[in-house]
Amino acid sequence: MFSKRSFCLQFSVLLFVLQSHPAWSQGTIADYERALALRGRYERTLFRYKVNPHWSSDGERFGYKVETGRNQHEFIIVDAKRGQRELAFDHKELAELLSKELGKPVDELNLPIERIEFAENAIAGEVHFISQGKHWKFDQNAGELLNVESAIGSNTNSTSEKNQQRRNSQTVSPDGLLRATIEQHSLLIKNEMGDESPTEIRIAGSKEHAFTTHNLAWAPDSKKLVVWKVEAGEQRTVHFVESSPKDQLQPKLHAFNYLKPGDRIPQPRLHLIDIESNAEIVIDDSHFKTPWLNNPKIHWSPDSSRFYFVYNQRGHQVLRVISVDAKTGDAQVIVNEESKTFVDYAYKQYLHFLHESNELIWMSERDGWNHLYLYDSLTGEVKNQITQGPWVVRKVVHVNEEQRQLWFECSGLLPEQNPYNIQLARIEFDGTNLTRLTDGDGTHTVKFSPDRRYLIDSYSRIDSPPLINLRETATGKLVCKLEESDITKLKTAGWSPPERFVSKGRDGKTDIHGVIFRPSNFDPEQKYPVIEKIYAGPHGSFVPISFREFHSAQEVAEVGFIVVQIDGMGTSNRSKAFHDVCWKNLGDSGFPDRIQWIKAAAKQFPEFDLTHGVGIYGGSAGGQSALRALLAHGDFYTVAVSDCGCHDNRMDKIWWNELWMSWPIGPHYAEQSNVTQAHKLTGKLFLTVGEKDTNVDPASTMQVVNALIKAGKDFDFIMVPGHGHGVGEIPYLRKRRIDFFVRHLMKKEPRVE
């Protein structure tokens, strides 16, 4: 028999266990059914959220079709000059007339009209539109509908013909007399007047040193030609076996070219040909001896005296604009961009030549933020910084050389808003008169009228649906409101907005932004395990900031979790210092910031339950990070689902990895490899990969599997036949991913009532 003391002790232990292990009511069959139906339930429940304008030739009016419900829409005409928005016509009357013409019923709420047209000779009350491939005229005054003419013409210029014309315009000299061709790797410059004409110039090449027409460039006066000769690099081939092909019983072996970090790459070399002297001008290449992979584009000055190109030095710490004297071959550095970490040539490079004034506009992070600079293109002198401040230029939209103004997208311009929100602004070349052209708390997308006098501004947040306004481009002044999104049906379907949350990062000063997804049946009195959906690629920022009906993270949350997404340090679109954290350090993945953020959220929201640690999942670079979480931060993250991860940066594509991890290959590559660190695994791991992945070599995942087996670690693994990159998002694996989290975070068997 148990003593009273023994009974009390056992009761206390049992009570502690029950308190430490919540009896989760989530993860049931009903939760799964609701979660997996969520995408379809929310689909097409957002209306009046999009405007695709069709403008009149005078740029004063435009028409558009707006969706008002499922299989329902109406047509709007806007008079931009007067600031008036109205229905384009009486929809019921037109439906009756169109029914008679087409010989079948037409629904006034679903008129079969492709777009509204603006005829130059149209009188008041006339509406022209395209329907059934025909042009119609609706005279509202007379109540008449006329079929004017066929609106569909034959396309006599196919895409292949256009491509051929584009190639011809490059290889044929501007005066039309000569053509540059490549034969047996050699350069031939022939007279274009006839096939029987003799070859004018021939410069020998070989298989290992071959000429190419890619980015070949004739001088405007046709007297000189710049062409690239490429020294062959290493040919790395990746193979994989397709185990279950659809068209045969036996497996297939596939192969594709795939350079990896450290490989010997092709080396493009400049050649300048003087046509008149039938000779080659030697170019001084002392400023561009270690080029990156591709042949740069050539920009000739209008007077043919010089040409320019961008030199990207391998290792991506030097980016230069080089000017070459077309007479002497002397090369001059006009812009010299250097960084102790990396120059983000792939996502933060912009060059625009102002040939009339011998200037150029250049993008740089040299002051710690991504901004624009005005240069003298002859001397290389920086005339002035165009944009400046603790915010970033995201994209140059338009340059007006006559007015010396430029339009650009930027983020972080308004300190009170999310620093990732995009705004449109205009500024003078000299850096004065910075004017914001969009307004409203959210991230903006803009469509200009053809003459750029007006812009259609659509903005939203993840928790606020789109508002669409018409504005004047010159001032940003509101012309009229166009649409306010209708989310009535979305709310009826059970939707609730994700929540934005901000906390300080590892330095205690920098704001780290993220979002929180809760189940649609969220109960604030209940506890929920926490899962992070991660993607920490340095090439962008990834927390959603604009409105969507459905986010894939919501599907996971719906089963009974709280799912978070966070942009930690090392991702882009903030300061240079914020971005630099990733350099030679992809293994960091912003985890110190992410962990701080989740802990801060848990303090504020009592429903966050970190009792059994935090789950994490991601694909590609996110798959690499998901596994890294268990290897480097196993005291915080305890369950990970990793799909198609680039687990060892020496195994992945060359350009992405050398940009952030640098070149030559150093010991940091191996130190941050999930393969070399696999023996440190703690927690529960589920690996997936598609056998036909051509984005990330599937052997990257298999080498992790091999290392885990050698280390005696328990883990789950599925390789999916017939699938490529991102296989983790197929329905089967989405369900298995949720199963894994239910089993190991909720501590219960999934899909059980």
Side-chain angles (χ1 to χ4, degrees):
M1 292 182 65
F2 294 115
S3 67
K4 183 176 180 181
R5 179 181 177 186
S6 175
F7 174 80
C8 290
L9 179 62
Q10 291 187 47
F11 178 78
S12 298
V13 171
L14 176 61
L15 182 62
F16 173 78
V17 170
L18 290 175
Q19 289 174 338
S20 302
H21 295 76
W24 301 109
S25 59
Q26 305 101 311
T28 66
I29 293 175
D31 292 319
Y32 272 80
E33 289 175 347
R34 192 178 62 256
L36 297 175
L38 208 60
R39 191 186 302 259
R41 199 168 87 207
Y42 289 168
E43 185 180 18
R44 297 195 63 198
T45 54
L46 175 65
F47 305 108
R48 310 200 80 102
Y49 70 99
K50 184 168 56 177
V51 170
N52 289 320
H54 187 71
W55 286 86
S56 60
S57 58
D58 62 4
E60 297 288 1
R61 295 178 297 156
F62 64 91
Y64 64 90
K65 178 171 75 174
V66 61
E67 194 174 17
T68 58
R70 290 193 178 186
N71 301 316
Q72 296 180 4
H73 51 255
E74 62 186 25
F75 293 87
I76 304 296
I77 284 184
V78 178
D79 188 321
K81 188 174 183 179
R82 294 182 174 85
Q84 295 178 347
R85 173 199 178 279
E86 59 187 5
L87 283 173
F89 42 74
D90 185 318
H91 287 55
K92 182 177 180 180
E93 181 183 8
L94 181 56
E96 292 172 353
L97 293 171
L98 203 53
S99 294
K100 294 177 182 178
E101 289 290 334
L102 299 177
K104 59 182 179 181
V106 173
D107 184 355
E108 65 179 280
L109 300 178
N110 191 19
L111 291 168
I113 295 175
E114 284 87 60
R115 68 175 185 269
I116 296 174
E117 297 278 283
F118 292 94
E120 292 184 7
N121 58 351
I123 61 175
E126 278 186 4
V127 177
H128 293 246
F129 62 89
I130 304 298
S131 177
Q132 308 289 305
K134 297 178 180 179
H135 189 163
W136 301 81
K137 180 176 74 172
F138 176 31
D139 186 338
Q140 299 184 84
N141 299 320
E144 294 179 345
L145 179 65
L146 298 174
N147 176 207
V148 180
E149 61 182 353
S150 173
I152 298 179
S154 61
N155 181 6
T156 58
N157 198 0
S158 68
T159 301
S160 60
E161 289 172 334
K162 290 179 181 179
N163 290 338
Q164 185 60 47
Q165 290 173 2
R166 192 176 297 113
R167 285 192 293 270
N168 288 347
S169 67
Q170 183 186 47
T171 59
V172 175
S173 60
D175 61 12
L177 300 179
L178 298 170
R179 179 193 297 275
T181 63
I182 307 298
E183 293 184 10
Q184 298 297 313
H185 313 297
S186 297
L187 173 68
L188 279 74
I189 302 175
K190 297 181 178 180
N191 191 314
E192 182 69 357
M193 304 307 292
D195 292 338
E196 70 283 353
S197 301
T199 297
E200 301 290 333
I201 299 174
R202 180 185 182 96
I203 301 177
S206 65
K207 184 177 180 180
E208 294 301 315
H209 296 82
F211 281 99
T212 173
T213 57
H214 180 64
N215 283 342
L216 167 154
W218 285 94
D221 63 7
S222 301
K223 294 180 179 179
K224 292 184 175 66
L225 172 68
V226 176
V227 65
W228 295 95
K229 192 177 188 181
V230 181
E231 178 183 343
E234 187 172 350
Q235 289 294 315
R236 181 184 292 278
T237 304
V238 170
H239 298 83
F240 65 82
V241 174
E242 182 182 5
S243 63
S244 311
K246 296 178 181 179
D247 58 345
Q248 67 183 48
L249 174 64
Q250 299 301 324
K252 288 182 179 179
L253 176 64
H254 295 271
F256 57 98
N257 294 328
Y258 191 94
L259 288 174
K260 296 186 178 185
D263 285 351
R264 184 169 56 85
I265 62 175
Q267 294 292 288
R269 302 297 180 192
L270 271 176
H271 288 256
L272 175 60
I273 313 302
D274 187 319
I275 304 301
E276 291 183 329
S277 64
N278 196 11
E280 184 174 353
I281 298 172
V282 177
I283 298 175
D284 170 21
D285 68 352
S286 58
H287 300 301
F288 48 96
K289 280 190 172 297
T290 315
W292 174 236
L293 202 55
N294 299 316
N295 310 336
K297 184 178 179 181
I298 300 297
H299 302 263
W300 276 97
S301 62
D303 64 2
S304 300
S305 65
R306 60 196 174 278
F307 64 87
Y308 301 85
F309 65 94
V310 175
Y311 165 65
N312 182 3
Q313 185 168 290
R314 190 173 186 184
H316 310 302
Q317 292 179 281
V318 176
L319 195 66
R320 292 174 177 152
V321 178
I322 305 291
S323 170
V324 178
D325 187 304
K327 290 184 179 179
T328 66
D330 291 340
Q332 177 187 2
V333 177
I334 301 298
V335 178
N336 187 52
E337 198 69 48
E338 295 192 22
S339 174
K340 293 180 180 179
T341 56
F342 57 85
V343 178
D344 187 355
Y345 76 93
Y347 298 95
K348 296 175 184 173
Q349 183 186 158
Y350 180 78
L351 171 63
H352 182 87
F353 286 96
L354 306 163
H355 287 301
E356 292 296 319
S357 57
N358 291 319
E359 294 170 311
L360 63 83
I361 298 170
W362 177 253
M363 181 178 283
S364 169
E365 291 187 282
R366 65 187 61 173
D367 77 343
W369 301 86
N370 198 42
H371 282 302
L372 299 168
Y373 294 77
L374 184 67
Y375 272 80
D376 184 312
S377 62
L378 297 180
T379 66
E381 174 192 1
V382 178
K383 301 184 76 170
N384 60 265
Q385 185 170 348
I386 301 173
T387 61
Q388 56 187 306
W391 48 273
V392 298
V393 173
R394 299 285 288 270
K395 176 184 178 182
V396 176
V397 175
H398 177 64
V399 177
N400 187 318
E401 297 187 23
E402 184 178 340
Q403 297 182 12
R404 293 183 68 79
Q405 296 176 335
L406 59 85
W407 286 258
F408 60 94
E409 293 177 357
C410 59
S411 58
L413 187 61
L414 300 176
E416 68 274 15
Q417 290 193 19
N418 184 318
Y420 298 97
N421 283 352
I422 292 176
Q423 301 276 352
L424 179 74
R426 187 190 66 245
I427 198 167
E428 310 288 329
F429 285 1
D430 64 3
T432 62
N433 297 326
L434 173 63
T435 304
R436 184 163 47 86
L437 302 176
T438 50
D439 190 31
D441 184 2
T443 191
H444 296 251
T445 57
V446 167
K447 295 176 181 177
F448 289 97
S449 63
D451 59 10
R452 294 185 178 271
R453 279 186 293 164
Y454 301 100
L455 61 87
I456 295 172
D457 171 25
S458 175
Y459 71 96
S460 71
R461 297 194 311 265
I462 190 172
D463 55 359
S464 181
L467 293 171
I468 309 174
N469 298 315
L470 179 66
R471 296 184 176 277
E472 291 180 352
T473 303
T475 62
K477 178 183 175 183
L478 178 68
V479 175
C480 68
K481 296 180 179 180
L482 296 179
E483 299 295 338
E484 181 175 346
S485 297
D486 180 358
I487 61 171
T488 305
K489 291 189 182 299
L490 182 57
K491 286 183 174 180
T492 302
W495 175 88
S496 59
E499 182 169 356
R500 296 175 291 151
F501 184 73
V502 183
S503 76
K504 298 301 179 184
R506 68 186 76 182
D507 59 4
K509 298 181 293 184
T510 305
D511 283 343
I512 302 297
H513 290 253
V515 293
I516 301 168
F517 296 89
R518 297 177 175 86
S520 63
N521 61 354
F522 171 70
D523 179 355
E525 301 300 318
Q526 194 164 328
K527 293 284 191 179
Y528 295 84
V530 177
I531 298 171
E532 180 179 357
K533 177 183 178 182
I534 189 169
Y535 194 91
H539 55 280
S541 50
F542 306 99
V543 171
I545 58 172
S546 59
F547 191 88
R548 294 203 304 266
E549 304 101 305
F550 176 78
H551 297 267
S552 61
Q554 186 66 50
E555 181 179 83
V556 179
E558 193 68 14
V559 176
F561 298 102
I562 285 175
V563 179
V564 301
Q565 284 185 257
I566 307 158
D567 277 324
M569 291 186 186
T571 52
S572 190
N573 300 322
R574 299 284 291 275
S575 69
K576 175 65 171 164
F578 191 101
H579 200 185
D580 276 349
V581 170
C582 75
W583 188 64
K584 293 187 175 182
N585 192 33
L586 290 184
D588 179 270
S589 294
F591 281 124
D593 311 299
R594 298 169 187 278
I595 293 170
Q596 294 255 102
W597 189 98
I598 293 172
K599 287 180 177 179
K603 285 183 180 179
Q604 181 166 330
F605 304 111
E607 64 269 20
F608 276 54
D609 192 326
L610 310 184
T611 304
H612 303 298
V614 172
I616 189 167
Y617 74 96
S620 196
Q624 177 184 21
S625 297
L627 174 50
R628 181 73 176 181
L630 297 189
L631 302 180
H633 303 279
D635 56 337
F636 186 79
Y637 296 97
T638 57
V639 184
V641 180
S642 168
D643 178 49
C644 57
C646 38
H647 296 289
D648 188 318
N649 297 106
R650 297 168 297 182
M651 288 288 293
D652 193 28
K653 63 194 75 65
I654 186 172
W655 76 268
W656 194 86
N657 293 274
E658 285 197 8
L659 176 51
W660 317 116
M661 292 290 279
S662 190
W663 174 88
I665 306 304
H668 58 288
Y669 273 84
E671 290 164 0
Q672 295 174 60
S673 165
N674 288 344
V675 177
T676 65
Q677 304 300 306
H679 63 282
K680 296 180 180 179
L681 178 68
T682 61
K684 301 297 182 179
L685 172 64
F686 181 19
L687 292 167
T688 61
V689 70
E691 69 176 2
K692 293 174 63 178
D693 196 333
T694 56
N695 185 316
V696 175
D697 186 346
S700 188
T701 297
M702 297 306 296
Q703 289 181 3
V704 169
V705 169
N706 183 49
L708 290 170
I709 291 171
K710 288 182 177 180
K713 298 294 182 177
D714 292 335
F715 63 98
D716 288 25
F717 170 59
I718 295 178
M719 174 177 272
V720 183
H723 283 269
H725 200 60
V727 70
E729 297 309 311
I730 67 173
Y732 175 76
L733 287 186
R734 294 202 331 259
K735 189 175 350 181
R736 287 292 303 272
R737 176 170 63 203
I738 295 173
D739 287 348
F740 201 73
F741 287 128
V742 169
R743 185 172 289 116
H744 297 297
L745 279 180
M746 289 186 183
K747 304 296 183 181
K748 62 178 288 185
E749 277 305 299
R751 291 180 266 170
V752 175
E753 292 296 351

